[in-house]
Amino acid sequence: MANPGREVAPSFFSDLIDTLTERGRALLGRLDRSAIPQVDLTALGELLLSRRGEASGVALAQALIASYKAASEKERLTFLRSLAERFGPDRARVEAAIEAFHDGTDPDAISLLHTAAEPRRQELFRRLNLASGGTSALIRMREELLSHLRSHPELRAVDADFTHLFSSWFNRGFLVLRRIDWSTPAVILEKIIRYEAVHEIQNWDDLRNRLAPEDRRCYGFFHPQLVDEPLIFVEVALTEDIPGSVAPLLDLERTPIPASAATTAVFYSISNTQQGLGGVSFGNFLIKQVVENLKSELPNLKTFVTLSPVPGFAGWLARERESESSIILSEGPDAEALALLDEPGWHQDPAKTERIRTVLLTLAAHYFLKAKTSYGRPADPVARFHLGNGARLERLNFLGDVSPKGLRQAHSLMVNYLYALDEIEANHEAYAEKGAVAASSAVRKLMRSGLTSKERVKS
């Protein structure tokens, strides 16, 4: 609803429309930004939906975007709530379309009902997207909306409309793969440092170590409307074998190898950069595209794997240890071994790591192959990404990441997912259709190797 403590300033709107009629797009570079914050956001949204001219629509969209950006947090939340309350479907149109559908005489009745049922805010978002910087502004708007969902569940309908539109605007057909290297403009390199979500980049020397050497590659997926904003970037190490730990890959003192000597491409960091696009699928086979690029450039590469974190494992294991219905017994050698995980510095003690290794890897195999979300997919979010892209769960790596973050989120566990070009599509189809987890015999054997647990008793 409109803010009752602020008038809409009709003279501003009148002057704006008159100027638009006379000057069209020229207004975009001359709009008086100082007046914009005094305009009610909801009323400006209604005005934008009421216009039919393209020039006036673009300028009004620009005005609304600038006004939203300049507004206070409270004002922005009021606008987001108004999107839920006032910009849903037109009930009168929906009822008329339903009546026409039941009447059965209009062959276009279903199409008219579909059009009438669309929330008005979807058209508002489409019009805002026409403004310069509109796509980025809408992503920021949804990012803010996501932060309010828990306290304002009525915003879920607005979020569903954002997701619906973004899924069309950001599907794989619109994404462009570009290599990022040390000569890439600084504005993009700065964002690589800022957005790195897997292994923090400490400084410019650290970044250079990931981009400049001959045995390193980095790729970004870009959208035409966000030219300097990589949506996803992938960091790659070229190696002579499949690594089981990340520290050697990030070591600033390591000795690079010639790219021609590498046989393995390791995707050791894949970061999504836009929180406002969270939950929006960019489509499958993104990594396959990177694989094909690497294979074309370096025919000597034979193996394509990830070295991936397991962000959900420690939380899952903690819940299992506390649950009465857990697969893990509260007493016995397995429980005693797991108790060592609670001791600081356990990973530095060879005797403790030896006791923990088998039980942890067995539980990890169970986590990947058996633990599911409420909708039947693997519990681990990184696993869902790679399995959906057609990878195979190849190897579990104990002590793969002993950084504070790696210990906190996965008790040091890391995973290799294998991208075998001749299996990717079949793996993807099996996962998409049946939720099947493609896994190596070594991983499946780990799960069968057993625990002194309820899981063994059940079997």
Side-chain angles (χ1 to χ4, degrees):
M1 59 185 296
N3 188 338
R6 171 180 291 174
E7 295 185 0
V8 176
S11 62
F12 170 82
F13 286 134
S14 177
D15 292 346
L16 179 61
I17 299 304
D18 288 345
T19 306
L20 286 168
T21 301
E22 294 174 6
R23 301 179 185 175
R25 291 183 180 273
L27 177 68
L28 295 180
R30 305 173 60 181
L31 202 57
D32 182 2
R33 303 299 183 200
S34 64
I36 290 174
Q38 304 305 313
V39 177
D40 184 276
L41 295 172
T42 301
L44 191 51
E46 292 283 9
L47 182 62
L48 174 56
L49 283 178
S50 73
R51 303 304 297 174
R52 293 294 175 264
E54 181 178 344
S56 61
V58 171
L60 283 168
Q62 198 81 37
L64 179 50
I65 288 170
S67 185
Y68 180 87
K69 184 177 181 180
S72 67
E73 181 179 352
K74 181 179 179 181
E75 290 170 326
R76 294 196 301 270
L77 177 57
T78 296
F79 175 67
L80 293 174
R81 296 183 68 187
S82 79
L83 290 175
E85 297 164 3
R86 292 185 48 169
F87 289 85
D90 184 324
R91 292 187 63 88
R93 287 186 64 200
V94 171
E95 290 171 359
I98 292 174
E99 184 177 344
F101 172 74
H102 285 303
D103 179 62
T105 59
D106 188 344
D108 297 323
I110 293 180
S111 177
L112 293 172
L113 178 58
H114 173 77
T115 301
E118 180 183 87
R120 296 169 63 236
R121 55 184 166 262
Q122 287 196 21
E123 179 60 22
L124 180 64
F125 295 156
R126 282 191 286 264
R127 295 191 183 201
L128 288 173
N129 193 49
L130 295 175
S132 175
T135 304
S136 179
L138 287 168
I139 292 173
R140 301 285 87 76
M141 191 180 293
R142 182 179 183 243
E143 182 177 335
E144 184 166 11
L145 181 143
L146 290 173
S147 71
H148 294 298
L149 277 184
R150 180 169 295 181
S151 55
H152 295 280
E154 70 275 13
L155 296 178
R156 295 191 184 281
V158 183
D159 184 51
D161 289 326
F162 269 124
T163 303
H164 171 72
L165 291 174
F166 285 169
S167 295
S168 298
W169 298 348
F170 289 93
N171 71 64
R172 190 168 67 98
F174 289 107
L175 302 186
V176 177
L177 181 65
R178 290 164 51 189
R179 182 174 171 184
I180 298 170
D181 57 27
W182 195 238
S183 65
T184 297
V187 65
I188 295 178
L189 297 184
E190 289 170 351
K191 289 169 182 174
I192 299 298
I193 295 176
R194 185 194 318 160
Y195 291 139
E196 167 59 68
V198 183
H199 305 293
E200 182 181 358
I201 298 174
Q202 302 297 327
N203 48 42
W204 285 95
D205 287 339
D206 192 359
L207 179 64
R208 185 185 182 97
N209 185 54
R210 303 190 193 195
L211 299 182
E214 185 180 353
D215 61 351
R216 291 295 181 267
R217 296 291 186 276
C218 182
Y219 298 91
F221 286 93
F222 293 81
H223 189 277
Q225 290 297 320
L226 302 168
V227 177
D228 294 329
E229 287 278 352
L231 303 183
I232 300 174
F233 63 89
V234 182
E235 296 172 63
V236 184
L238 305 179
T239 66
E240 295 175 309
D241 50 27
I242 299 176
S245 64
V246 72
L249 300 183
L250 302 179
D251 185 3
L252 293 176
E253 303 300 322
R254 68 179 184 81
T255 302
I257 65 172
S260 59
T263 59
T264 303
V266 184
F267 308 106
Y268 66 90
S269 180
I270 301 173
S271 297
N272 294 324
T273 67
Q274 306 296 317
Q275 292 183 24
L277 293 175
V280 176
S281 174
F282 298 131
N284 296 299
F285 305 127
L286 294 179
I287 305 305
K288 180 183 178 183
Q289 191 172 347
V290 180
V291 168
E292 290 173 343
N293 268 40
L294 285 165
K295 187 68 175 175
S296 175
E297 178 195 353
L298 299 167
N300 48 294
L301 294 176
K302 307 301 180 186
T303 305
F304 301 88
V305 297
T306 76
L307 183 60
S308 299
V310 193
F313 180 61
W316 172 83
L317 184 55
R319 292 189 294 274
E320 286 291 324
R321 291 172 67 186
E322 295 171 359
S323 172
E324 293 183 359
S325 61
S326 168
I327 66 166
I328 305 165
L329 291 176
S330 59
E331 299 178 353
D334 294 338
E336 292 172 4
L338 290 175
L340 297 174
L341 295 173
D342 302 325
E343 299 182 11
W346 65 265
H347 61 286
Q348 298 172 324
D349 186 325
K352 291 178 181 178
T353 58
E354 191 58 32
R355 288 191 64 192
I356 291 171
R357 178 188 299 271
T358 299
V359 64
L360 195 72
L361 289 176
T362 301
L363 284 167
H366 188 284
Y367 171 68
F368 282 106
L369 298 176
K370 295 294 185 180
K372 304 292 183 182
T373 64
S374 58
Y375 52 94
R377 295 304 187 191
D380 192 76
V382 177
R384 293 195 297 270
F385 174 80
H386 287 296
L387 295 170
N389 271 273
R392 180 175 80 207
L393 180 62
E394 186 68 7
R395 192 173 75 185
L396 309 182
N397 299 301
F398 181 64
L399 299 183
D401 182 4
V402 294
S403 70
K405 182 179 179 181
L407 291 167
R408 183 177 62 254
Q409 71 178 11
H411 299 306
S412 83
L413 188 71
M414 295 197 82
V415 178
N416 299 122
Y417 295 95
L418 177 70
Y419 281 88
L421 282 172
D422 57 348
E423 298 178 9
I424 287 176
E425 294 187 10
N427 290 344
H428 161 74
E429 291 296 329
Y431 177 79
E433 297 296 330
K434 303 175 183 177
V437 176
S440 67
S441 59
V443 172
R444 295 190 181 280
K445 183 178 179 181
L446 273 173
M447 192 177 73
R448 291 194 299 270
S449 65
L451 296 163
T452 54
S453 66
K454 295 177 183 177
E455 181 69 13
R456 176 182 285 179
V457 171
K458 289 178 183 177
S459 62

